[in-house]
Amino acid sequence: MITVEKKDGHKLKISHVIPETTNRQLDLYIFVPGELGLNSNIIAEDEFFHNAIQGKRTYYSDVNHLPLVHSRLASRGKLSTEQYRLSLSLYAYQYALALEKTAQQLLDDKEERSLEEVEEVAQLTQRILKRLRRNVPTDKKLHKYYENVDNYLSWYTEQRLLELVAHLPRSSDYSNIKSLLLEVCEKESEHRYKHDYNSSKAMEDPTRMSNKMRLLRRLIEYPVTMKEKTTELGQNTRKVVTGFAAGFVMIFVTLMLIEARGVLGDITASFILVLSFIYAAREVFKDDLKTILWRMVRKGKPKWRKQFFDVNSNQLIGRQLEWMEYCAFKDLDKEIRKVRKHKVSQHEETVLHYKSTTRMSPTKFLTGYEQTRESIMLDLRTITRLMEKGSQKIYQLKDGQVSKETVEKRHLVNLVTREMVDEKTICVQRWKVIMNRSKIIDIEPIESN
């Protein structure tokens, strides 16, 4: 199951957990309104891929990897610094993901929440943090790393609970919920102050504190995030096509020169004029022929290859092929057209198709992990540049009076995703993305009939 959530500005975060499989394929179809005039001449496929799509792959497990045993071993000198850091990072990363997902679920439904639901979340956060703090390493190097992780998790817990206080619906239990959450937040704030995790200047400056925590988050994610190496495919093929096109055109140029020499005789002004036209035609047709041959040879083939390496052992643990292309609606698969529900208003839509096929080697994963989590950041800023600025006026009749309202111009972009395992479709989903020139307004999942 794929989840899509709104991030800052025009970014969409597309996340999904990938189980152990032999061959997995992901398709993203972006349906852009035809009125924006998007095409390959305005934004090329390669440009959109490099500017709008950014992926990250991490280890993932439904089982909590508690660092308690490792903490005891580390305190006795029986565990290396690298192993302890890895264990602690796994624990912290799993907790941060779970807390983010839980808080988002409580807010997304926009329903009134009972005190029992929120109390369970608050108690669970305290229980997990208490386990973390039960065994503090004595080694200075390990203790410094532990402090950074504890500092971030304490701050992150406070931020997510404060977010719930700010945005939960005001139900009958809201006052009790607010008191409960604020009590936990105060405890975490006191904990950081007691251990002197942050300077007074940092605590007084939200920007400085946020940037510090962002760096700590990267420190936590580094051991569990796979290194990537991207290679553009077809470079040797491009050279062969270029050489073939130049040679093929030169055959006809040579034949035309011989023919012109036979007709015009010696070198004259007429011969030189004909010669210049021949060479001009060569330059034009050589580029056109090269483009046509390149499209024919590379049609349907992947454009990029990614290799994934374990950041700890530097072993190759997976490969991924990626495509990016413009598609016509009639050329899409039947199941995609069915989910999109093609109507008259969609006839002029521009369809961008991103595709990736992945093969992983779970036997080379970190111990206890058989799954990975892929997060794709889709940045739609390149599309918003085609949107017009300003607003429009709407007139309404109310109680015999005409009222005028100013409304902003919005556009609807449809996103359709498909997951396939061993060439069998397992899930097709669709979202409506409502956006204007400055930001994404809302994301609405659409159920498939």
Side-chain angles (χ1 to χ4, degrees):
M1 182 67 71
I2 294 176
T3 60
V4 177
E5 55 185 309
K6 178 175 60 175
K7 288 299 181 181
D8 297 336
H10 294 98
K11 293 182 179 179
L12 294 176
K13 185 179 181 181
I14 304 170
S15 306
H16 56 121
V17 176
I18 306 170
E20 180 181 355
T21 58
T22 55
N23 191 3
R24 177 201 151 271
Q25 177 179 317
L26 171 68
D27 292 279
L28 303 179
Y29 296 90
I30 307 167
F31 295 83
V32 181
E35 61 182 318
L36 298 182
L38 178 65
N39 56 53
S40 58
N41 295 323
I42 295 176
I43 303 176
E45 293 97 333
D46 293 10
E47 180 184 355
F48 188 88
F49 174 82
H50 291 298
N51 294 334
I53 296 180
Q54 183 179 8
K56 181 175 69 173
R57 192 178 295 261
T58 60
Y59 289 110
Y60 183 86
S61 175
D62 295 328
V63 181
N64 290 325
H65 290 255
L66 303 180
L68 306 181
V69 176
H70 281 189
S71 298
R72 298 189 188 99
L73 291 175
S75 63
R76 299 170 189 169
K78 297 182 179 180
L79 197 69
S80 67
T81 303
E82 290 74 18
Q83 288 176 308
Y84 176 75
R85 287 181 175 179
L86 176 59
S87 172
L88 203 58
S89 291
L90 289 171
Y91 183 78
Y93 182 67
Q94 293 290 136
Y95 169 70
L97 282 182
L99 180 57
E100 180 182 15
K101 183 178 180 181
T102 302
Q104 197 63 42
Q105 287 176 344
L106 291 175
L107 294 173
D108 281 349
D109 295 339
K110 298 178 181 179
E111 298 177 356
E112 293 185 358
R113 296 296 179 180
S114 65
L115 178 61
E116 289 74 18
E117 289 179 284
V118 180
E119 187 176 21
E120 182 182 3
V121 174
Q123 289 178 352
L124 193 57
T125 60
Q126 292 297 285
R127 196 180 308 145
I128 293 175
L129 292 177
K130 186 177 181 180
R131 290 175 182 173
L132 172 70
R133 297 161 182 166
R134 191 175 296 166
N135 290 278
V136 181
T138 55
D139 185 282
K140 290 184 178 180
K141 293 182 179 179
L142 302 185
H143 190 269
K144 183 60 180 177
Y145 194 80
Y146 163 81
E147 285 184 344
N148 287 330
V149 172
D150 187 32
N151 186 17
Y152 175 78
L153 293 185
S154 175
W155 178 84
Y156 190 75
T157 301
E158 181 185 44
Q159 289 297 306
R160 296 287 72 80
L161 298 186
L162 289 177
E163 182 183 16
L164 292 177
V165 172
H167 298 291
L168 277 177
R170 269 45 175 179
S171 62
S172 57
D173 288 338
Y174 177 75
S175 58
N176 295 328
I177 291 174
K178 180 179 179 181
S179 300
L180 171 66
L181 295 179
L182 291 181
E183 182 182 353
V184 177
C185 293
E186 289 173 357
K187 287 182 180 179
E188 291 305 316
S189 180
E190 291 174 1
H191 176 78
R192 297 194 303 275
Y193 180 80
K194 177 182 177 182
H195 291 83
D196 197 23
Y197 283 160
N198 306 294
S199 65
S200 57
K201 290 185 178 180
M203 290 187 290
E204 293 171 0
D205 188 349
T207 302
R208 184 171 175 177
M209 180 65 76
S210 176
N211 289 333
K212 178 180 179 178
M213 294 303 167
R214 178 172 53 85
L215 294 177
L216 293 183
R217 176 66 178 250
R218 291 181 62 184
L219 178 71
I220 291 172
E221 290 183 352
Y222 178 77
V224 298
T225 303
M226 301 175 188
K227 290 193 298 185
E228 296 182 5
K229 180 183 178 182
T230 303
T231 305
E232 186 172 354
L233 301 177
Q235 295 300 313
N236 293 330
T237 305
R238 186 185 293 274
K239 294 177 183 178
V240 172
V241 168
T242 301
F244 179 81
F248 189 77
V249 171
M250 278 304 298
I251 293 175
F252 286 92
V253 170
T254 303
L255 293 176
M256 292 175 66
L257 287 175
I258 295 173
E259 185 68 21
R261 182 66 182 271
V263 174
L264 298 176
D266 295 331
I267 298 176
T268 61
S270 299
F271 179 77
I272 294 174
L273 182 62
V274 170
L275 186 64
S276 64
F277 277 112
I278 291 174
Y279 275 97
R282 184 198 70 166
E283 293 300 319
V284 173
F285 289 110
K286 182 184 70 173
D287 292 339
D288 289 345
L289 180 61
K290 182 176 69 175
T291 302
I292 293 172
L293 289 175
W294 173 251
R295 289 177 178 175
M296 289 175 58
V297 171
R298 294 296 300 169
K299 184 177 181 181
K301 294 185 178 180
K303 295 185 177 181
W304 301 275
R305 179 180 64 231
K306 280 185 179 178
Q307 293 176 300
F308 301 104
F309 299 87
D310 183 281
V311 72
N312 307 286
S313 64
N314 212 32
Q315 277 190 318
L316 177 65
I317 56 178
R319 292 181 174 87
Q320 179 171 288
L321 297 176
E322 295 178 295
W323 290 255
M324 191 78 216
E325 60 184 351
Y326 284 90
C327 298
F329 186 86
K330 60 182 178 63
D331 296 330
L332 300 179
D333 294 341
K334 185 177 179 180
E335 60 183 351
I336 301 299
R337 296 201 304 267
K338 182 180 178 181
V339 171
R340 179 62 190 95
K341 297 180 180 179
H342 194 223
K343 299 179 182 178
V344 176
S345 59
Q346 280 84 50
H347 278 305
E348 297 181 354
E349 278 186 330
T350 302
V351 184
L352 276 163
H353 176 211
Y354 166 80
K355 172 184 172 182
S356 67
T357 59
T358 308
R359 285 181 178 271
M360 303 298 289
S361 301
T363 55
K364 299 179 182 179
F365 284 5
L366 291 175
T367 304
Y369 280 81
E370 296 180 349
Q371 297 177 328
T372 59
R373 182 177 186 268
E374 184 179 24
S375 299
I376 299 175
M377 200 66 73
L378 179 60
D379 193 342
L380 300 177
R381 280 182 298 177
T382 52
I383 296 177
T384 60
R385 297 169 188 166
L386 305 176
M387 298 179 181
E388 296 181 359
K389 295 181 180 179
S391 57
Q392 57 187 11
K393 297 177 181 178
I394 297 295
Y395 295 90
Q396 293 180 329
L397 180 63
K398 292 182 179 179
D399 300 328
Q401 299 293 326
V402 177
S403 62
K404 180 179 69 173
E405 294 185 13
T406 301
V407 296
E408 62 181 354
K409 292 182 179 179
R410 295 182 177 180
H411 297 272
L412 177 63
V413 174
N414 279 270
L415 174 66
V416 176
T417 65
R418 176 175 62 183
E419 288 182 277
M420 298 179 68
V421 176
D422 296 331
E423 299 183 353
K424 295 180 181 179
T425 301
I426 60 174
C427 185
V428 180
Q429 299 168 262
R430 176 187 165 203
W431 289 266
K432 286 184 179 180
V433 182
I434 304 169
M435 57 191 296
N436 58 23
R437 189 178 172 87
S438 60
K439 64 179 181 179
I440 293 175
I441 307 298
D442 192 21
I443 303 174
E444 179 185 349
I446 305 298
E447 294 184 4
S448 303
N449 296 327

